[in-house]
Amino acid sequence: MTITLMIDGQEVTVEQGKTLLDVARENGINIPTICFHEATTANALCRICVGEVEGMRVLQPACIVEAAKDMKVQTKSEKVLRARKTILEMLASTMDLSEAADIQSMMQEYGADVTRFPDAERRETPVKDDNPMYIRDYSKCLLCWRCVQVCADDAQYTYAINFEGRGYETQIGTFFDKSIPETTCVLCGQCVGVCPTGALKPKREFLLEQGMSPQEISVLNTGRKKRKNVKRSNV
Ligand code: SF4
Ligand code: FES
């Protein structure tokens, strides 16, 4: 069954059941996204994708709101642009976006002022380096939840990580703050693959950035494998 609605003044006819984001993309309208990822369940956490829907009091997240018959949607109204700009400014004030290239482009596009909230408290946590495959730098985490989802029902069914803490203290963590090797993590790397900000990064890339040479990293890995074999042979 199809429905007809208006998006940015354009009449479109689409299959029922599509989100506003689907409808926009199918019709060549660009809506920015941050927490949304094709491979994970959308949870509408970042709100960068909002649109103005006639008759609705608040802006609607396009990644989860279903298109409805006769809806009138604006994706570039003044209210929408102001909301996106503010979201980007709040992100820039509280976390490290230095490796989030897509978000940096959005900041330019929306004219975000990185100095707008000078008194904001920044998330600054030490890099967690507790396993051979990847590092976790939660100073760069915007809590998009993609990593938690791929680790859980969206892909891996491993459930090694989840949200922890409340309010401003919320962050991604392991149960009882255990190190990664002590959790159910199988080092599949899917969380690293979906992270949009560089908060999760392959260990090799991290070590190269720290100035280590490929040879030094190989020696490090060989030593680690040998230690593992010795441990196994003692069992
Ligand atoms: S670590 Fe990366 S993928 Fe996980 S919530 Fe933070 S930004 Fe998102
Ligand atoms: S992309 Fe829709 S809320 Fe984040």
Side-chain angles (χ1 to χ4, degrees), residues 197-217:
T197 60
L200 304 177
K201 182 179 289 184
K203 185 76 168 276
R204 184 179 170 80
E205 186 181 333
F206 174 71
L207 292 175
L208 286 169
E209 285 171 3
Q210 300 300 305
M212 283 183 80
S213 69
Q215 289 74 19
E216 286 170 320
I217 297 170

Side-chain angles (χ1 to χ4, degrees), residues 39 41 43 53 71-72 74 77 88 171 175 184 195 205 215:
T41 306
N43 285 303
V53 180
M71 225 179 203
K72 289 197 176 101
Q74 292 292 332
S77 67
L88 293 165
Q171 63 172 36
F175 291 107
T184 49
C195 179
E205 186 181 333
Q215 289 74 19

Side-chain angles (χ1 to χ4, degrees), residues 57-127:
R57 191 176 57 84
V58 293
L59 296 175
Q60 301 294 307
C63 64
I64 58 159
V65 170
E66 206 173 292
K69 184 171 170 288
D70 297 333
M71 225 179 203
K72 289 197 176 101
V73 189
Q74 292 292 332
T75 74
K76 293 179 181 57
S77 67
E78 196 187 328
K79 197 172 168 186
V80 166
L81 300 185
R82 199 168 50 234
R84 289 184 189 152
K85 180 171 175 284
T86 304
I87 288 166
L88 293 165
E89 288 168 340
M90 289 196 289
L91 284 177
S93 307
T94 52
M95 60 172 287
D96 177 0
L97 289 171
S98 58
E99 295 184 34
D102 289 348
I103 301 176
Q104 284 179 25
S105 310
M106 283 179 210
M107 292 183 65
Q108 283 200 340
E109 183 182 343
Y110 289 92
D113 173 7
V114 295
T115 62
R116 181 165 168 203
F117 302 110
D119 299 327
E121 194 174 333
R122 294 186 73 80
R123 288 176 190 276
E124 278 163 351
T125 56
V127 173

Side-chain angles (χ1 to χ4, degrees), residues 33-36 44-49 61 63:
T33 54
I34 296 178
C35 66
F36 175 82
L45 293 174
C46 76
R47 302 274 157 162
I48 200 76
C49 66
C63 64

